[in-house]
Amino acid sequence: MQKQKKIAPSLLAADFANLERDIKMVEQAGAHLLHYDVMDGHFVPNISIGIPVLKAVKRVATTPVDVHLMIENPGQYVDAFTNAGADYLTVHMEAAPHLHRVIQHIKSNGIKAGVALNPHTPLNTIEEILPELDLILLMSVNPGFGGQSFIANTLDKLKRLNYMLAERGLEHIEVEVDGGVKYGNISEVAAAGADILVSGSGIFKADDPVQMVKDMQIKLENITAYVY
């Protein structure tokens, strides 16, 4: 059975002076998740939002929050982000030498556990931990900054990941893509096997963000099958 395609606006591209307004705006437009990027200035060359802002988001959001940790030593912060309200918590394979331990910690907190891979990172690096995962996030830009262009090779990587999951009977794992997803390529990315499509500037920088979410949703509803 094909999984539901989900739109996840990235709050990093929202107007932080009007964050509650922007959250309510995309929720009412039909967004399925709110994507929340955390950067530490070490694992990636930028610093973004953290635990206090997540707590504030959770006070006003009715949509699940998908927290993406682009930080070193993510295992040290699992409890803090869980307690702040994360519904999904995704850590980078490249930042977690004891990845199995971190994933088990996340799952023991009763939330969904994900692993993210940078564009250069091979799929086989997570082969042994696949059965433990709820989510796999493929970065389609080099992490650290919003507004970058989609890396075209991600489409082939998506197809190979879906084939890997199907071979192992793990089709229930959600596949997420983050970086450069916009109205013009969302159909192609979804058809290649993405279940959750993160879009920041593609939504919040649009002339009409509400209509953009609705237009993206129409495109996703017309995706009938993965292309392997």
Side-chain angles (χ1 to χ4, degrees):
M1 180 181 296
Q2 185 170 323
K3 300 186 286 290
Q4 181 188 16
K5 303 290 187 182
K6 300 177 181 178
I7 295 174
S10 176
L11 295 182
L12 198 62
D15 179 355
F16 274 72
N18 295 283
L19 189 55
E20 180 177 2
R21 179 204 67 188
D22 281 8
I23 288 170
K24 294 299 185 184
M25 177 176 66
V26 295
E27 286 184 333
Q28 291 168 6
H32 303 90
L33 299 170
L34 298 173
H35 190 77
Y36 189 92
D37 284 314
V38 181
M39 308 178 193
D40 64 357
H42 296 282
F43 179 66
V44 293
N46 204 354
I47 297 173
S48 68
I49 46 183
I51 292 166
V53 177
L54 177 58
K55 289 180 179 178
V57 167
K58 288 296 292 187
R59 285 200 296 270
V60 300
T62 59
T63 303
V65 180
D66 167 33
V67 177
H68 175 197
L69 298 184
M70 290 178 273
I71 64 175
E72 293 181 352
N73 303 313
Q76 295 182 14
Y77 302 96
V78 169
D79 289 337
F81 279 99
T82 301
N83 293 336
D87 297 286
Y88 291 72
L89 190 58
T90 296
V91 301
H92 270 262
M93 188 285 299
E94 303 88 353
H98 304 290
L99 184 59
H100 185 272
R101 180 185 301 161
V102 176
I103 293 301
Q104 290 300 308
H105 188 178
I106 295 170
K107 292 174 74 73
S108 73
N109 283 353
I111 62 176
K112 293 188 176 183
V115 168
L117 298 179
N118 282 337
H120 71 280
T121 304
L123 294 173
N124 62 13
T125 56
I126 58 170
E127 189 171 2
E128 300 302 328
I129 203 170
L130 285 177
E132 308 295 327
L133 301 178
D134 300 300
L135 173 74
I136 300 167
L137 169 56
L138 297 186
M139 291 300 301
S140 44
V141 298
N142 289 295
F145 298 94
Q148 298 182 67
S149 297
F150 184 86
I151 296 174
N153 186 58
T154 309
L155 296 174
D156 177 67
K157 195 174 186 180
L158 267 170
K159 295 172 187 177
R160 289 186 284 114
L161 174 57
N162 275 277
Y163 182 78
M164 179 187 293
L165 296 176
E167 269 195 320
R168 292 160 175 76
L170 298 172
E171 296 96 331
H172 64 278
I173 297 174
E174 292 185 286
V175 176
E176 183 171 25
V177 172
D178 182 6
V181 176
K182 300 180 183 298
Y183 181 78
N185 64 7
I186 193 169
S187 293
E188 189 177 16
V189 179
D195 305 305
I196 300 172
L197 297 110
V198 177
S199 183
S201 59
I203 290 174
F204 287 109
K205 306 307 181 189
D207 291 338
D208 185 342
V210 171
Q211 190 60 47
M212 179 56 68
V213 172
K214 293 178 179 179
D215 289 345
M216 286 180 168
Q217 181 62 25
I218 290 170
K219 280 205 167 190
L220 295 186
E221 289 170 355
N222 291 327
I223 301 297
T224 58
Y226 294 145
V227 178
Y228 291 124

